[in-house]
Amino acid sequence: MHPDNRDFFPLTGFAQRFVDQLAQCRALGVRTLEGSEHHVLLELPYHRRLVGDPETGVIHGGVITTLMDTACGAAVICALRHKTGEVELSPTLDLRVDYMRPAKPEKPVYGFAECYRLSSAVAFTRAIAYQDSTDKPIAHAVGSFMLIGSELMTEEFRRALEGG
């Protein structure tokens, strides 16, 4: 179980508002536990409707991919917010997910991601999905995200991320 660390990670609410704008994340029940200029930690609660193999109760791999993509995207928008002060979207250019083991049934899955480099046009990320410990990962991911500029975002989306 992860504690609520919103007081220590000032971009947690910003990252959660981003996650809340994504219909698939609302359907999956994804929530943000931490958000900073360096990282994002998301939680995917276990639910039977997410199971890919009814005999084992293991969460579908596509759900894990969605968690990893969202964590990486949230890490990018937090890094950009910290660097520029702007709200900016960054569509996924490329995402590679390497699966290590299935998730254990009846337990939440966590997605930890960091944006480790921002160039003028691309953000680079890495992430890990895990349950009990990052030492026993479910999956690793690396991704690149396009930086499109804050001017291409709708005012409605901007207001939603700003919390207004």
Side-chain angles (χ1 to χ4, degrees):
M1 180 71 173
H2 286 270
D4 188 343
N5 292 319
R6 291 176 186 264
D7 292 340
F8 299 108
F9 301 107
L11 293 174
T12 303
F14 180 72
Q16 183 63 53
R17 289 188 295 275
F18 168 73
V19 169
D20 287 343
Q21 294 304 303
L22 306 173
Q24 70 273 22
C25 289
R26 289 193 309 270
L28 295 172
V30 174
R31 74 180 192 114
T32 305
L33 299 178
E34 298 174 6
S36 76
E37 67 273 19
H38 303 294
H39 81 287
V40 168
L41 178 63
L42 302 181
E43 179 184 52
L44 170 71
Y46 182 85
H47 194 282
R48 294 290 306 168
R49 65 186 160 80
L50 306 180
V51 168
D53 183 349
E55 289 185 22
T56 64
V58 172
I59 293 175
H60 191 281
V63 175
I64 301 298
T65 297
T66 298
L67 176 67
M68 301 301 278
D69 187 34
T70 304
C72 288
V76 170
I77 68 155
C78 286
L80 287 168
R81 176 60 180 254
H82 176 74
K83 181 179 179 183
T84 68
E86 295 289 326
V87 176
E88 183 175 338
L89 290 182
S90 327
T92 307
L93 288 172
D94 184 54
L95 183 70
R96 175 191 166 116
V97 180
D98 293 320
Y99 289 90
M100 309 295 168
R101 71 182 78 242
K104 295 175 190 166
E106 305 295 332
K107 298 181 79 172
V109 176
Y110 301 97
F112 177 90
E114 63 181 333
C115 178
Y116 65 90
R117 184 167 190 279
L118 290 171
S119 75
S120 61
V122 179
F124 298 92
T125 64
R126 55 186 159 229
I128 187 169
Y130 67 97
Q131 287 178 305
D132 298 318
S133 168
T134 56
D135 293 333
K136 294 181 180 178
I138 296 165
H140 285 146
V142 292
S144 57
F145 292 75
M146 181 188 322
L147 304 183
I148 59 174
S150 61
E151 63 278 357
L152 295 178
M153 189 177 341
T154 67
E155 275 305 309
E156 180 182 9
F157 199 85
R158 184 185 320 279
R159 280 193 303 275
L161 291 184
E162 293 289 355

